[in-house]
PDB file of all heavy atoms in Angstrom:
ATOM      1  N   PRO A 312      15.185 -34.262  -6.972  1.00 85.00           N
ATOM      2  CA  PRO A 312      15.306 -35.740  -7.185  1.00 85.00           C
ATOM      3  C   PRO A 312      16.736 -36.197  -7.182  1.00 85.00           C
ATOM      4  O   PRO A 312      17.620 -35.367  -7.496  1.00 85.00           O
ATOM      5  CB  PRO A 312      14.607 -35.951  -8.542  1.00 85.00           C
ATOM      6  CG  PRO A 312      14.731 -34.614  -9.160  1.00 85.00           C
ATOM      7  CD  PRO A 312      14.585 -33.601  -8.097  1.00 85.00           C
ATOM      8  N   GLU A 313      17.002 -37.421  -6.848  1.00 77.00           N
ATOM      9  CA  GLU A 313      18.321 -37.840  -6.616  1.00 77.00           C
ATOM     10  C   GLU A 313      19.198 -37.695  -7.945  1.00 77.00           C
ATOM     11  O   GLU A 313      20.376 -37.264  -7.830  1.00 77.00           O
ATOM     12  CB  GLU A 313      18.364 -39.354  -6.287  1.00 77.00           C
ATOM     13  CG  GLU A 313      19.685 -39.856  -5.875  1.00 77.00           C
ATOM     14  CD  GLU A 313      19.594 -41.284  -5.308  1.00 77.00           C
ATOM     15  OE1 GLU A 313      18.558 -41.619  -4.713  1.00 77.00           O
ATOM     16  OE2 GLU A 313      20.555 -42.079  -5.466  1.00 77.00           O
ATOM     17  N   SER A 314      18.630 -37.880  -9.071  1.00 75.00           N
ATOM     18  CA  SER A 314      19.404 -37.745 -10.351  1.00 75.00           C
ATOM     19  C   SER A 314      19.904 -36.304 -10.531  1.00 75.00           C
ATOM     20  O   SER A 314      20.975 -36.072 -11.015  1.00 75.00           O
ATOM     21  CB  SER A 314      18.566 -38.241 -11.553  1.00 75.00           C
ATOM     22  OG  SER A 314      17.391 -37.459 -11.617  1.00 75.00           O
ATOM     23  N   THR A 315      19.003 -35.367 -10.174  1.00 81.00           N
ATOM     24  CA  THR A 315      19.424 -33.955 -10.295  1.00 81.00           C
ATOM     25  C   THR A 315      20.375 -33.545  -9.204  1.00 81.00           C
ATOM     26  O   THR A 315      21.348 -32.775  -9.461  1.00 81.00           O
ATOM     27  CB  THR A 315      18.154 -33.047 -10.262  1.00 81.00           C
ATOM     28  OG1 THR A 315      17.308 -33.474 -11.312  1.00 81.00           O
ATOM     29  CG2 THR A 315      18.534 -31.623 -10.449  1.00 81.00           C
ATOM     30  N   ALA A 316      20.107 -33.993  -8.031  1.00 74.00           N
ATOM     31  CA  ALA A 316      20.954 -33.630  -6.858  1.00 74.00           C
ATOM     32  C   ALA A 316      22.438 -33.948  -7.102  1.00 74.00           C
ATOM     33  O   ALA A 316      23.295 -33.209  -6.766  1.00 74.00           O
ATOM     34  CB  ALA A 316      20.450 -34.336  -5.596  1.00 74.00           C
ATOM     35  N   SER A 317      22.694 -35.075  -7.699  1.00 70.00           N
ATOM     36  CA  SER A 317      24.057 -35.497  -7.975  1.00 70.00           C
ATOM     37  C   SER A 317      24.774 -34.637  -8.952  1.00 70.00           C
ATOM     38  O   SER A 317      26.005 -34.565  -8.998  1.00 70.00           O
ATOM     39  CB  SER A 317      24.050 -36.966  -8.517  1.00 70.00           C
ATOM     40  OG  SER A 317      23.339 -37.070  -9.726  1.00 70.00           O
ATOM     41  N   GLN A 318      23.975 -33.856  -9.807  1.00 68.00           N
ATOM     42  CA  GLN A 318      24.566 -32.963 -10.747  1.00 68.00           C
ATOM     43  C   GLN A 318      25.067 -31.687 -10.113  1.00 68.00           C
ATOM     44  O   GLN A 318      25.970 -31.047 -10.685  1.00 68.00           O
ATOM     45  CB  GLN A 318      23.599 -32.671 -11.860  1.00 68.00           C
ATOM     46  CG  GLN A 318      23.164 -33.824 -12.674  1.00 68.00           C
ATOM     47  CD  GLN A 318      22.008 -33.553 -13.621  1.00 68.00           C
ATOM     48  OE1 GLN A 318      21.815 -32.365 -13.936  1.00 68.00           O
ATOM     49  NE2 GLN A 318      21.285 -34.537 -14.096  1.00 68.00           N
ATOM     50  N   ILE A 319      24.457 -31.287  -9.038  1.00 71.00           N
ATOM     51  CA  ILE A 319      24.772 -29.930  -8.524  1.00 71.00           C
ATOM     52  C   ILE A 319      25.440 -29.948  -7.130  1.00 71.00           C
ATOM     53  O   ILE A 319      25.777 -28.948  -6.584  1.00 71.00           O
ATOM     54  CB  ILE A 319      23.499 -29.063  -8.440  1.00 71.00           C
ATOM     55  CG1 ILE A 319      22.541 -29.559  -7.330  1.00 71.00           C
ATOM     56  CG2 ILE A 319      22.823 -28.968  -9.771  1.00 71.00           C
ATOM     57  CD1 ILE A 319      21.470 -28.547  -7.001  1.00 71.00           C
ATOM     58  N   ARG A 320      25.616 -31.162  -6.577  1.00 68.00           N
ATOM     59  CA  ARG A 320      26.302 -31.297  -5.261  1.00 68.00           C
ATOM     60  C   ARG A 320      27.395 -32.354  -5.349  1.00 68.00           C
ATOM     61  O   ARG A 320      27.197 -33.375  -5.911  1.00 68.00           O
ATOM     62  CB  ARG A 320      25.303 -31.678  -4.184  1.00 68.00           C
ATOM     63  CG  ARG A 320      24.253 -30.619  -3.802  1.00 68.00           C
ATOM     64  CD  ARG A 320      24.860 -29.526  -2.981  1.00 68.00           C
ATOM     65  NE  ARG A 320      23.802 -28.741  -2.427  1.00 68.00           N
ATOM     66  CZ  ARG A 320      23.162 -27.771  -3.095  1.00 68.00           C
ATOM     67  NH1 ARG A 320      23.482 -27.457  -4.362  1.00 68.00           N
ATOM     68  NH2 ARG A 320      22.162 -27.082  -2.564  1.00 68.00           N
ATOM     69  N   ALA A 321      28.537 -31.955  -4.797  1.00 58.00           N
ATOM     70  CA  ALA A 321      29.593 -32.958  -4.696  1.00 58.00           C
ATOM     71  C   ALA A 321      29.365 -33.822  -3.488  1.00 58.00           C
ATOM     72  O   ALA A 321      28.822 -33.478  -2.477  1.00 58.00           O
ATOM     73  CB  ALA A 321      30.952 -32.167  -4.553  1.00 58.00           C
ATOM     74  N   GLY A 322      29.863 -35.091  -3.607  1.00 53.00           N
ATOM     75  CA  GLY A 322      29.770 -36.008  -2.429  1.00 53.00           C
ATOM     76  C   GLY A 322      28.409 -36.638  -2.409  1.00 53.00           C
ATOM     77  O   GLY A 322      27.546 -36.425  -3.203  1.00 53.00           O
ATOM     78  N   LYS A 323      28.247 -37.528  -1.456  1.00 52.00           N
ATOM     79  CA  LYS A 323      26.996 -38.262  -1.311  1.00 52.00           C
ATOM     80  C   LYS A 323      26.086 -37.591  -0.273  1.00 52.00           C
ATOM     81  O   LYS A 323      26.465 -37.465   0.869  1.00 52.00           O
ATOM     82  CB  LYS A 323      27.279 -39.729  -0.817  1.00 52.00           C
ATOM     83  CG  LYS A 323      28.082 -40.497  -1.854  1.00 52.00           C
ATOM     84  CD  LYS A 323      28.285 -41.938  -1.333  1.00 52.00           C
ATOM     85  CE  LYS A 323      29.069 -42.746  -2.407  1.00 52.00           C
ATOM     86  NZ  LYS A 323      29.306 -44.189  -1.906  1.00 52.00           N
ATOM     87  N   GLN A 324      24.904 -37.211  -0.697  1.00 53.00           N
ATOM     88  CA  GLN A 324      23.928 -36.621   0.150  1.00 53.00           C
ATOM     89  C   GLN A 324      22.545 -37.231  -0.182  1.00 53.00           C
ATOM     90  O   GLN A 324      22.189 -37.269  -1.362  1.00 53.00           O
ATOM     91  CB  GLN A 324      23.836 -35.062  -0.006  1.00 53.00           C
ATOM     92  CG  GLN A 324      25.184 -34.400   0.382  1.00 53.00           C
ATOM     93  CD  GLN A 324      25.022 -32.898   0.313  1.00 53.00           C
ATOM     94  OE1 GLN A 324      24.051 -32.345   0.829  1.00 53.00           O
ATOM     95  NE2 GLN A 324      26.030 -32.184  -0.228  1.00 53.00           N
ATOM     96  N   THR A 325      21.901 -37.703   0.868  1.00 57.00           N
ATOM     97  CA  THR A 325      20.621 -38.353   0.599  1.00 57.00           C
ATOM     98  C   THR A 325      19.559 -37.400   0.206  1.00 57.00           C
ATOM     99  O   THR A 325      18.668 -37.719  -0.575  1.00 57.00           O
ATOM    100  CB  THR A 325      20.205 -39.165   1.857  1.00 57.00           C
ATOM    101  OG1 THR A 325      20.154 -38.285   2.955  1.00 57.00           O
ATOM    102  CG2 THR A 325      21.201 -40.272   2.106  1.00 57.00           C
ATOM    103  N   LYS A 326      19.619 -36.182   0.770  1.00 75.00           N
ATOM    104  CA  LYS A 326      18.585 -35.173   0.443  1.00 75.00           C
ATOM    105  C   LYS A 326      19.271 -33.884   0.116  1.00 75.00           C
ATOM    106  O   LYS A 326      20.098 -33.357   0.898  1.00 75.00           O
ATOM    107  CB  LYS A 326      17.634 -34.978   1.603  1.00 75.00           C
ATOM    108  CG  LYS A 326      16.709 -36.135   1.903  1.00 75.00           C
ATOM    109  CD  LYS A 326      15.800 -35.803   3.057  1.00 75.00           C
ATOM    110  CE  LYS A 326      14.897 -36.966   3.397  1.00 75.00           C
ATOM    111  NZ  LYS A 326      14.021 -36.700   4.515  1.00 75.00           N
ATOM    112  N   VAL A 327      18.921 -33.304  -1.038  1.00 87.00           N
ATOM    113  CA  VAL A 327      19.454 -32.022  -1.447  1.00 87.00           C
ATOM    114  C   VAL A 327      18.284 -31.037  -1.735  1.00 87.00           C
ATOM    115  O   VAL A 327      17.398 -31.374  -2.436  1.00 87.00           O
ATOM    116  CB  VAL A 327      20.343 -32.111  -2.717  1.00 87.00           C
ATOM    117  CG1 VAL A 327      20.745 -30.746  -3.203  1.00 87.00           C
ATOM    118  CG2 VAL A 327      21.601 -32.988  -2.397  1.00 87.00           C
ATOM    119  N   HIS A 328      18.356 -29.908  -1.040  1.00 91.00           N
ATOM    120  CA  HIS A 328      17.303 -28.893  -1.220  1.00 91.00           C
ATOM    121  C   HIS A 328      17.875 -27.655  -1.872  1.00 91.00           C
ATOM    122  O   HIS A 328      19.060 -27.411  -1.738  1.00 91.00           O
ATOM    123  CB  HIS A 328      16.694 -28.497   0.122  1.00 91.00           C
ATOM    124  CG  HIS A 328      16.005 -29.634   0.803  1.00 91.00           C
ATOM    125  ND1 HIS A 328      16.620 -30.631   1.514  1.00 91.00           N
ATOM    126  CD2 HIS A 328      14.618 -29.885   0.972  1.00 91.00           C
ATOM    127  CE1 HIS A 328      15.747 -31.460   2.022  1.00 91.00           C
ATOM    128  NE2 HIS A 328      14.583 -31.057   1.687  1.00 91.00           N
ATOM    129  N   VAL A 329      17.029 -26.882  -2.507  1.00 94.00           N
ATOM    130  CA  VAL A 329      17.373 -25.537  -2.979  1.00 94.00           C
ATOM    131  C   VAL A 329      16.265 -24.580  -2.534  1.00 94.00           C
ATOM    132  O   VAL A 329      15.093 -24.966  -2.512  1.00 94.00           O
ATOM    133  CB  VAL A 329      17.602 -25.481  -4.503  1.00 94.00           C
ATOM    134  CG1 VAL A 329      18.891 -26.122  -4.882  1.00 94.00           C
ATOM    135  CG2 VAL A 329      16.404 -26.092  -5.256  1.00 94.00           C
ATOM    136  N   SER A 330      16.644 -23.385  -2.199  1.00 96.00           N
ATOM    137  CA  SER A 330      15.723 -22.301  -1.874  1.00 96.00           C
ATOM    138  C   SER A 330      15.554 -21.428  -3.087  1.00 96.00           C
ATOM    139  O   SER A 330      16.573 -20.803  -3.501  1.00 96.00           O
ATOM    140  CB  SER A 330      16.189 -21.564  -0.643  1.00 96.00           C
ATOM    141  OG  SER A 330      15.247 -20.518  -0.272  1.00 96.00           O
ATOM    142  N   VAL A 331      14.367 -21.309  -3.658  1.00 97.00           N
ATOM    143  CA  VAL A 331      14.208 -20.653  -4.991  1.00 97.00           C
ATOM    144  C   VAL A 331      12.981 -19.773  -5.002  1.00 97.00           C
ATOM    145  O   VAL A 331      12.060 -19.885  -4.164  1.00 97.00           O
ATOM    146  CB  VAL A 331      14.125 -21.698  -6.045  1.00 97.00           C
ATOM    147  CG1 VAL A 331      15.344 -22.590  -6.120  1.00 97.00           C
ATOM    148  CG2 VAL A 331      12.833 -22.507  -5.997  1.00 97.00           C
ATOM    149  N   LEU A 332      12.933 -18.900  -5.998  1.00 98.00           N
ATOM    150  CA  LEU A 332      11.804 -18.103  -6.324  1.00 98.00           C
ATOM    151  C   LEU A 332      11.518 -18.335  -7.783  1.00 98.00           C
ATOM    152  O   LEU A 332      12.323 -18.104  -8.643  1.00 98.00           O
ATOM    153  CB  LEU A 332      12.053 -16.597  -6.085  1.00 98.00           C
ATOM    154  CG  LEU A 332      10.858 -15.661  -6.288  1.00 98.00           C
ATOM    155  CD1 LEU A 332       9.825 -15.820  -5.172  1.00 98.00           C
ATOM    156  CD2 LEU A 332      11.333 -14.188  -6.355  1.00 98.00           C
ATOM    157  N   PHE A 333      10.264 -18.776  -8.087  1.00 98.00           N
ATOM    158  CA  PHE A 333       9.875 -19.074  -9.494  1.00 98.00           C
ATOM    159  C   PHE A 333       9.518 -17.827 -10.218  1.00 98.00           C
ATOM    160  O   PHE A 333       9.079 -16.824  -9.660  1.00 98.00           O
ATOM    161  CB  PHE A 333       8.709 -20.036  -9.510  1.00 98.00           C
ATOM    162  CG  PHE A 333       9.107 -21.477  -9.387  1.00 98.00           C
ATOM    163  CD1 PHE A 333       9.442 -22.010  -8.141  1.00 98.00           C
ATOM    164  CD2 PHE A 333       9.204 -22.308 -10.478  1.00 98.00           C
ATOM    165  CE1 PHE A 333       9.783 -23.331  -7.992  1.00 98.00           C
ATOM    166  CE2 PHE A 333       9.596 -23.654 -10.353  1.00 98.00           C
ATOM    167  CZ  PHE A 333       9.943 -24.173  -9.111  1.00 98.00           C
ATOM    168  N   ASP A 334       9.737 -17.838 -11.535  1.00 96.00           N
ATOM    169  CA  ASP A 334       9.167 -16.837 -12.450  1.00 96.00           C
ATOM    170  C   ASP A 334       7.697 -17.289 -12.633  1.00 96.00           C
ATOM    171  O   ASP A 334       7.422 -18.448 -12.933  1.00 96.00           O
ATOM    172  CB  ASP A 334       9.963 -16.844 -13.734  1.00 96.00           C
ATOM    173  CG  ASP A 334       9.535 -15.698 -14.667  1.00 96.00           C
ATOM    174  OD1 ASP A 334       8.365 -15.436 -14.792  1.00 96.00           O
ATOM    175  OD2 ASP A 334      10.445 -15.067 -15.215  1.00 96.00           O
ATOM    176  N   ALA A 335       6.795 -16.306 -12.567  1.00 95.00           N
ATOM    177  CA  ALA A 335       5.403 -16.628 -12.718  1.00 95.00           C
ATOM    178  C   ALA A 335       5.021 -17.143 -14.133  1.00 95.00           C
ATOM    179  O   ALA A 335       4.058 -17.867 -14.291  1.00 95.00           O
ATOM    180  CB  ALA A 335       4.495 -15.455 -12.310  1.00 95.00           C
ATOM    181  N   PHE A 336       5.766 -16.726 -15.135  1.00 95.00           N
ATOM    182  CA  PHE A 336       5.457 -17.044 -16.517  1.00 95.00           C
ATOM    183  C   PHE A 336       5.756 -18.553 -16.787  1.00 95.00           C
ATOM    184  O   PHE A 336       6.849 -19.045 -16.469  1.00 95.00           O
ATOM    185  CB  PHE A 336       6.193 -16.204 -17.477  1.00 95.00           C
ATOM    186  CG  PHE A 336       6.050 -16.549 -18.897  1.00 95.00           C
ATOM    187  CD1 PHE A 336       4.794 -16.463 -19.532  1.00 95.00           C
ATOM    188  CD2 PHE A 336       7.124 -17.017 -19.691  1.00 95.00           C
ATOM    189  CE1 PHE A 336       4.605 -16.836 -20.852  1.00 95.00           C
ATOM    190  CE2 PHE A 336       6.918 -17.347 -21.001  1.00 95.00           C
ATOM    191  CZ  PHE A 336       5.681 -17.191 -21.579  1.00 95.00           C
ATOM    192  N   LYS A 337       4.781 -19.212 -17.387  1.00 95.00           N
ATOM    193  CA  LYS A 337       4.979 -20.604 -17.789  1.00 95.00           C
ATOM    194  C   LYS A 337       5.201 -20.673 -19.319  1.00 95.00           C
ATOM    195  O   LYS A 337       4.256 -20.430 -20.076  1.00 95.00           O
ATOM    196  CB  LYS A 337       3.771 -21.472 -17.370  1.00 95.00           C
ATOM    197  CG  LYS A 337       3.600 -21.538 -15.830  1.00 95.00           C
ATOM    198  CD  LYS A 337       2.649 -22.644 -15.428  1.00 95.00           C
ATOM    199  CE  LYS A 337       1.234 -22.418 -15.850  1.00 95.00           C
ATOM    200  NZ  LYS A 337       0.270 -23.366 -15.344  1.00 95.00           N
ATOM    201  N   GLU A 338       6.443 -21.044 -19.726  1.00 94.00           N
ATOM    202  CA  GLU A 338       6.760 -21.099 -21.102  1.00 94.00           C
ATOM    203  C   GLU A 338       5.923 -22.238 -21.786  1.00 94.00           C
ATOM    204  O   GLU A 338       5.948 -23.388 -21.320  1.00 94.00           O
ATOM    205  CB  GLU A 338       8.240 -21.392 -21.329  1.00 94.00           C
ATOM    206  CG  GLU A 338       8.763 -21.365 -22.715  1.00 94.00           C
ATOM    207  CD  GLU A 338       8.912 -19.943 -23.246  1.00 94.00           C
ATOM    208  OE1 GLU A 338       9.257 -19.072 -22.441  1.00 94.00           O
ATOM    209  OE2 GLU A 338       8.629 -19.734 -24.444  1.00 94.00           O
ATOM    210  N   PRO A 339       5.203 -21.954 -22.855  1.00 93.00           N
ATOM    211  CA  PRO A 339       4.425 -23.025 -23.489  1.00 93.00           C
ATOM    212  C   PRO A 339       5.237 -24.165 -23.950  1.00 93.00           C
ATOM    213  O   PRO A 339       6.410 -24.081 -24.277  1.00 93.00           O
ATOM    214  CB  PRO A 339       3.769 -22.270 -24.693  1.00 93.00           C
ATOM    215  CG  PRO A 339       3.835 -20.842 -24.333  1.00 93.00           C
ATOM    216  CD  PRO A 339       5.118 -20.667 -23.559  1.00 93.00           C
ATOM    217  N   ALA A 340       4.621 -25.335 -24.057  1.00 92.00           N
ATOM    218  CA  ALA A 340       5.267 -26.490 -24.599  1.00 92.00           C
ATOM    219  C   ALA A 340       5.696 -26.263 -26.086  1.00 92.00           C
ATOM    220  O   ALA A 340       5.008 -25.596 -26.771  1.00 92.00           O
ATOM    221  CB  ALA A 340       4.412 -27.704 -24.468  1.00 92.00           C
TER     222      ALA A 340
END
Side-chain angles (χ1 to χ4, degrees):
E313 189 173 329
S314 57
T315 301
S317 62
Q318 296 173 19
I319 70 168
R320 291 286 192 278
K323 295 181 179 179
Q324 297 187 45
T325 55
K326 291 182 182 179
V327 172
H328 296 78
V329 287
S330 180
V331 302
L332 183 72
F333 277 78
D334 189 314
F336 176 62
K337 296 195 294 185
E338 187 77 34

